[in-house]
Amino acid sequence: AQSVSQHNHHVILSEAASLELGCNYSYGGTVNLFWYVQYPGQHLQLLLKYFSGDPLVKGIKGFEAEFIKSKFSFNLRKPSVQWSDTAEYFCAVNSGGSNYKLTFGKGTLLTVNP
Amino acid sequence: DAGVTQSPTHLIKTRGQQVTLRCSPKSGHDTVSWYQQALGQGPQFIFQYYEEEERQRGNFPDRFSGHQFPNYSSELNVNALLLGDSALYLCASSLLGTGGTDTQYFGPGTRLTVL
């Protein structure tokens, strides 16, 4: 069975600091990888996704993630965070096709102080 | 273009009761997935409907059942409610058929509280 681990439960940063949120998954086969974001009072939105090809994926709002197959990791990065990035971030994985069930991590709450 | 909509927004039930939650997919989508998000946890997959049939199912008991209608909207039914069923229930839609998308779009959720 697939599983996803997000090691940071709560991350607190000041504006302009760099961000890296960890995500590791366990599954031996081919996977699709996603980062979703949930801003306060809003629904889950897709930040970025990786299916194949270039392991460095760029998403919306300046976010990027790197797929490292040997480490089973898909860490999310942003060089300079803003107060508006305060949200909960979820890493997710599926296999067997892009419409197959998503397995989510427990999420990381990011608080950015102005 | 309407996104995924869910109703009701909030619901309070007592143990043993039954509940029905509703979801309308994003325009043009044909597949609906349901997830349960307990407090402090990530969403957990319940099941997925396509062409009015359950296509995949997660590790949830038979008390959780669903339905998809010809217009692609869907219902989630939970019988014999337990306190542990209190959670945010999320609906996600996608397009599985010809020209399928590769992204599941989520609705705002229904907050269910079981007393």
Side-chain angles (χ1 to χ4, degrees):
Chain A
Q2 299 167 355
S3 66
V4 177
S5 296
Q6 292 183 244
H7 308 296
N8 309 106
H9 178 63
H10 189 187
V11 173
I12 302 173
L13 296 173
S14 298
E15 277 193 316
S18 64
L19 169 71
E20 181 160 3
L21 301 182
C23 172
N24 288 90
Y25 67 93
S26 66
Y27 183 71
T30 302
V31 294
N32 304 308
L33 297 155
F34 306 80
W35 275 98
Y36 280 85
V37 61
Q38 191 166 32
Y39 297 103
Q42 297 187 27
H43 56 271
L44 276 170
Q45 301 171 42
L46 182 70
L47 261 184
L48 48 80
K49 60 193 177 192
Y50 172 80
F51 285 178
S52 63
D54 189 344
L56 185 61
V57 179
K58 295 193 184 299
I60 61 171
K61 304 187 180 187
F63 287 91
E64 65 178 30
E66 185 176 12
F67 170 51
I68 303 180
K69 189 174 181 180
S70 61
K71 295 184 177 181
F72 297 90
S73 70
F74 190 55
N75 292 354
L76 181 71
R77 300 195 292 247
K78 187 172 184 179
S80 175
V81 295
Q82 301 173 319
W83 175 78
S84 58
D85 292 325
T86 294
E88 189 148 25
Y89 293 79
F90 293 93
C91 181
V93 61
N94 70 5
S95 61
S98 59
N99 275 292
Y100 271 63
K101 66 176 186 177
L102 289 167
T103 299
F104 283 85
K106 290 186 176 182
T108 297
L109 178 60
L110 172 65
T111 300
V112 180
N113 294 319
Chain B
D1 181 17
V4 180
T5 59
Q6 293 186 243
S7 63
T9 306
H10 295 89
L11 205 50
I12 300 175
K13 292 285 187 178
T14 56
R15 281 176 295 175
Q17 285 190 309
Q18 178 264 343
V19 68
T20 298
L21 311 181
R22 295 176 177 83
C23 171
S24 291
K26 184 177 168 64
S27 177
H29 285 184
D30 59 8
T31 303
V32 172
S33 303
W34 287 93
Y35 293 81
Q36 180 196 65
Q37 187 177 12
L39 203 59
Q41 303 292 318
Q44 278 196 291
F45 177 78
I46 303 174
F47 43 52
Q48 183 183 79
Y49 277 84
Y50 171 66
E51 292 189 334
E52 302 180 48
E53 291 191 358
E54 187 181 285
R55 181 171 174 262
Q56 307 174 63
R57 189 178 180 92
N59 294 325
F60 280 80
D62 292 345
R63 297 187 298 109
F64 289 77
S65 64
H67 188 75
Q68 186 179 34
F69 299 93
N71 66 353
Y72 308 117
S73 67
S74 176
E75 287 182 349
L76 164 65
N77 301 292
V78 187
N79 294 323
L81 285 167
L82 304 174
L83 295 179
D85 295 331
S86 295
L88 181 68
Y89 288 85
L90 297 170
C91 170
S93 76
S94 55
L95 179 62
L96 187 63
T98 303
T101 64
D102 52 13
T103 300
Q104 295 183 33
Y105 293 82
F106 284 82
T110 293
R111 173 74 61 189
L112 172 65
T113 302
V114 182
L115 303 177

